[in-house]
């Protein structure tokens, strides 16, 4: 149920009942549409708030990577400065994927969440094995970035109706 100032905590399929913020019952496709709108707003808000902060943080750390390496590690670790680009790309994609991953939990899609995590684990394991073999240490960062890119794309496909919602009329026709 949707109470004033809260979001729906349960999902119901077509014909479900949802309480609007005004306390009126919303049924059928309107309930589904309201749920899509709420989850879509939360997802977009999460990404909109997170992305600028993440970009600024990554930029600051990237610019100061030599100083960070110098302070935290011995001179033998200076070569790790080359690992930062794909590590940060992977981190960025991972954070974007987490927003959608938490949406799986919020929508009680536990089975899908577990499958996604297992797929993510298998992909990073396989890619790490292959890329480290061919590219050395930097191959691990390649694998990390590609894995989280795949994870994000799959979740974007799962939530395509929420992410790419184009209006009431089209949503009604797609259901």
């Amino acid at each position: 149920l949707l109470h004033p100032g809260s979001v729906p905590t349960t999902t119901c399929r077509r014909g479900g009942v949802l309480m609007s913020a005004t306390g009126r019952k919303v049924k059928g496709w309107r309930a589904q549409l309201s749920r899509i709108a709420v989850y879509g707003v939360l997802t977009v808000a999460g990404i909109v708030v997170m992305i600028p902060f993440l970009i600024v943080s990554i930029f600051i750390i990237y610019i100061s990577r030599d100083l960070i390496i110098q302070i935290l590690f011995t001179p033998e670790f200076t070569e790790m400065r080359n690992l930062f680009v794909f590590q940060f790309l992977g981190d960025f994609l991972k954070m974007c994927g987490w927003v959608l991953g938490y949406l799986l939990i919020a929508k009680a899609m536990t089975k899908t969440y577990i499958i996604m995590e297992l797929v993510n684990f298998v992909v990073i394991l396989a890619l790490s094995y292959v890329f480290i073999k061919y590219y050395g240490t930097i191959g691990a960062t390649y694998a990390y970035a590609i894995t989280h890119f795949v994870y994000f794309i799959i979740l974007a496909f799962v939530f395509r109706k929420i992410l790419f919602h184009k209006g009431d009329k089209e949503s009604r026709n797609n259901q």
Side-chain angles (χ1 to χ4, degrees):
L1 295 176
L2 180 62
H3 302 286
S6 68
V7 296
T9 55
T10 60
T11 58
C12 52
R13 303 294 172 219
R14 289 174 220 221
V17 176
L18 179 72
M19 297 297 287
S20 71
T22 60
R24 294 189 315 235
K25 286 185 178 181
V26 180
K27 295 183 180 183
W29 64 266
R30 286 190 178 102
Q32 189 71 12
L33 188 59
S34 296
R35 216 173 277 94
I36 288 172
V38 169
Y39 287 129
V41 167
L42 291 177
T43 302
V44 170
I47 290 174
V48 167
V49 168
M50 178 194 65
I51 285 178
F53 175 75
L54 199 55
I55 290 172
V56 169
S57 300
I58 287 172
F59 180 74
I60 291 170
I61 295 171
Y62 184 78
I63 294 298
S64 58
R65 70 186 184 276
D66 291 325
L67 179 63
I68 293 170
I69 294 169
Q70 184 180 11
I71 291 171
L72 297 176
F73 301 103
T74 60
E76 292 86 26
F77 285 91
T78 55
E79 290 300 315
M80 72 186 279
R81 69 184 313 274
N82 301 328
L83 304 176
F84 278 66
V85 173
F86 287 100
Q87 178 67 38
F88 285 146
L89 178 62
D91 287 343
F92 179 78
L93 293 167
K94 183 176 187 175
M95 294 303 131
C96 292
W98 273 1
V99 171
L100 297 176
Y102 285 125
L103 192 55
L104 285 173
I105 294 169
K107 290 180 67 63
M109 298 172 72
T110 310
K111 188 176 180 181
T112 306
Y113 178 77
I114 292 170
I115 290 169
M116 285 298 302
E117 291 301 314
L118 289 172
V119 166
N120 197 33
F121 172 73
V122 169
V123 169
I124 197 163
L125 190 65
L127 289 178
S128 293
Y129 178 79
V130 172
F131 288 157
I132 291 171
K133 184 177 180 179
Y134 289 104
Y135 300 107
T137 307
I138 200 165
T141 62
Y142 295 164
Y144 181 73
I146 292 170
T147 298
H148 289 293
F149 176 74
V150 169
Y151 184 76
F152 179 73
I153 293 299
I154 292 172
L155 284 175
F157 178 76
V158 169
F159 292 115
R160 67 192 175 278
K161 286 184 181 177
I162 292 173
L163 293 174
F164 307 111
H165 178 65
K166 294 193 182 186
D168 297 354
K169 204 172 206 179
E170 287 182 24
S171 293
R172 260 194 318 249
N173 292 337
N174 290 336
Q175 291 189 11

